[in-house]
Amino acid sequence: MPTLTAAALDQAAARIAPTLTEPERAAWAGITADYSRGLATKTTQQLIDEALRSLPQHGTRPAVDVRLPGRIARALPDWAHRTRADLSHKPSTQLAVAAEILRKWGWQNKPHQLRDGRGRRCICGAICTTVVGLGVGTIDSAHQAAGYVLAELRGRGWNALIGDWNQRVCRTADQAIELVTAAQRRALNAGH
């Protein structure tokens, strides 16, 4: 099995998610403007019904039940956590688990480091941990998961890599978790 690193994952995502051109950004802005106008014309009940229809079958919980090790164990190397290998998980599941890793173990501002001394991960490090540390999915599906994160960033007008977004001084853990969760929704909508 090839080695999966956070930097390699970021580069793989860049190959998958194309950079938006200015006309594409303008088209996206037009689509979102039309969508927001549509929201203003719907009743509250219509919005609730639409939101409930869009929930995945398993609700807001990930499709896999992963028990993350506690606070002390989170700083251990990823191989120490490996309890099973399940190659059937899709990128959306990997993103759900990565969001949970960021929530429970913490997020760090330094890109391309699997973990700091306290066990906190960057976004790419959290996705790598799903495969290498927890055995959820494959390296290929991790590349796709990172591609969905980068596609979400491209949709928000960010044309650099995930690591560059991650290391910005103004970033917070909540923003990182929200980004991974939005990428998970994007993957679910694509059937992945």
Side-chain angles (χ1 to χ4, degrees):
M1 175 183 262
T3 305
L4 182 65
T5 65
L9 186 68
D10 207 359
Q11 291 296 324
R15 288 189 297 275
I16 293 170
T19 303
L20 291 178
T21 62
E22 195 54 46
E24 290 170 326
R25 263 195 228 118
W28 180 252
I31 291 168
T32 56
D34 288 343
Y35 182 74
S36 62
R37 277 192 291 278
L39 287 176
T41 61
K42 293 182 181 179
T43 67
T44 303
Q45 188 58 48
Q46 288 172 322
L47 292 172
I48 291 170
D49 292 341
E50 185 178 314
L52 290 175
R53 279 192 307 275
S54 69
L55 281 177
Q57 290 179 343
H58 57 271
T60 57
R61 295 184 45 80
V64 61
D65 186 22
V66 175
R67 303 215 190 284
L68 298 178
R71 300 182 109 185
I72 295 172
R74 70 183 180 190
L76 294 174
D78 284 338
W79 59 264
H81 301 297
R82 188 168 213 128
T83 56
R84 68 181 182 287
D86 188 347
L87 306 178
S88 65
H89 291 293
K90 296 178 178 182
S92 59
T93 303
Q94 286 180 291
L95 289 166
V97 173
E100 191 66 14
I101 288 169
L102 294 174
R103 229 179 258 109
K104 293 220 171 141
W105 287 355
W107 167 80
Q108 68 165 328
N109 192 250
K110 296 178 184 158
H112 304 152
Q113 291 187 359
L114 290 179
R115 74 186 116 351
D116 66 6
R118 298 170 74 188
R120 297 176 299 194
R121 268 88 169 149
C122 67
I123 292 172
C124 288
I127 295 170
C128 288
T129 298
T130 65
V131 177
V132 177
L134 301 174
V136 176
T138 64
I139 290 175
D140 288 337
S141 60
H143 288 172
Q144 289 177 344
Y148 282 113
V149 172
L150 198 54
E152 182 65 27
L153 286 172
R154 297 287 193 253
R156 297 176 183 192
W158 184 263
N159 281 319
L161 296 175
I162 299 167
D164 297 327
W165 182 91
N166 194 88
Q167 74 179 352
R168 293 286 296 257
V169 176
C170 60
R171 298 289 176 233
T172 66
D174 289 338
Q175 289 174 327
I177 293 166
E178 186 276 327
L179 173 65
V180 173
T181 304
Q184 180 209 10
R185 283 191 302 272
R186 185 180 283 260
L188 283 170
N189 289 339
H192 293 135

